[in-house]
Amino acid sequence: MSFRDKQLTEKEKAGILRAAEAVKQINGGKRQRVFVRTFGCQQNEADSEKILGMAVNMGYVPTEDADIADLIVINTCAVREHAEKKALSVIGQYKHCKRRKPELVIAVCGCMVSQLHRTDELKNKYPYVDFTFGTSDIHLFPQLLEERLKGGKRSFTLPPDEPAVAENIPIHRLSSYRAWVSIMYGCNNFCSYCIVPYVRGRERSRCPEEVIKEVRGLVEAGYKEITLLGQNVNSYGRDCSFDCNFSELLRRLDKIDGEWILRFMTSHPKDASFELIDVIAGSKHIAHQFHLPAQSGSDPVLKKMNRVYTREKYMEIMNYIKAKMPDCVITTDIIVGFPGETDEDFEKTLDLLSSVRYDMVFSFIYSPRKGTPAASMEQVPEEVKGVRMKKLLDLQTEIASELSAPYGGRRLRVLCCGRSQTDEGMLEGRTEGNKTVLFEGDASLEGRFVDVEVTQAGAFVLRGKLI
Ligand code: 5AD
Ligand code: SF4
């Protein structure tokens, strides 16, 4: 399919605008409130900002109180079973809101509702849910809402086989200094444990001019930190005929003047080229930070995961990153207890952690996902998974403490992100490498770069004082 084929048609675009106007008319100028609850990854957070953007465009005012909302949207995640259970239980809580206010509209979107068994479940067991829409159908939200407000049937559509890339959806950004920019959607990799390719469809890249326009606009509007998003950002452009791969996109974005930091996530080791690392190392704005999910340190497990790289290949990239950027903050994702993982396989993962010495590891206990190949492989008992997880966390805490220790006494430039969620009274800052630093100061510093001297270097959090 060519890039052009993937854009919305003029007719589709006109349909969206017409529906948005129609919703305004139906609500007749009455003050309406929208509440959006988000589960899952940054891509979902970015999608929720689009849903809010469209809702605001239709005359709704965002609220953080579901009890007073006229429209509730629950944006779900399906990557692990726990995330789905949590979303279902939260949807259940909104039943009472509907009982109190029958005209309330409840919509469910995101990865969970792109699975037939879940839409069936919502249709049959959650009669107060009005409609669902998948991640590639976000732009249809105004039309679905209009239909329902006009008294149409409840609707539970599954995503199309060949979804489009919808540009110019209004975005209601929740921060005035940190922004998400989706650069591609979907994933082609089919790692054997992962539900994402089934629920988010094949890779679709946005055109580079659109991405550059959006980022430039954000920098001009004063945004200080911009994170490019995609399930597999470094395969950007592969699905299209335009002549711009991910390294080239970064090169072009880095030319945008201003005081700002560029981040991206998530990368796949198979597409992490030396060229990409060279671009980051030689850039002005791209953070010296690399999140590169390894998933396992054992070749037989990597093979069963369909990760298409070996540990040796992964280490080659790591060594290149470290040689080019000794200050680079390196993080990863690890799955513990993948089907068939033996003690020996797991030891190899621990050994990978010791060899790479990651600043941070996001570790997940394997969770079988219906319809994925790994779900029908021989499973590791839950107790074994638990014991392994604890071992991994202990080792990583030790490594992270050792890596943090030299930060003591250092002066760091951090972006102040307001009050800390974990330690009230303290401000939270993010270093270029995305490490958290807590320090005392005035909340008015939020959204500004400040210099901090580290007074205490813990494994996960640095503490410091303003200079
Ligand atoms: N079980 C556990 N963890 C998973 N991940 C993806 N699918 C699963 C699963 N079925 C993890 C991977 C991925 C991260 C976002 O979530 O480590 O990188
Ligand atoms: Fe899932 Fe693998 Fe795609 Fe990441 S690269 S979203 S883990 S299938």
Side-chain angles (χ1 to χ4, degrees), residues 187 189-191 193-194 196-197 231 268 307:
C187 178
N189 292 327
F190 288 96
C191 299
Y193 51 82
C194 187
V196 168
Q231 250 65 45
H268 192 298
R307 290 293 285 178

Side-chain angles (χ1 to χ4, degrees), residues 79-80 193-194 293 295 333-335 364-367 369:
V79 83
R80 281 170 287 276
Y193 51 82
C194 187
Q295 311 299 0
D333 290 348
I334 296 286
I335 294 181
F364 307 100
I365 288 189
Y366 170 72
S367 163
R369 305 287 56 220

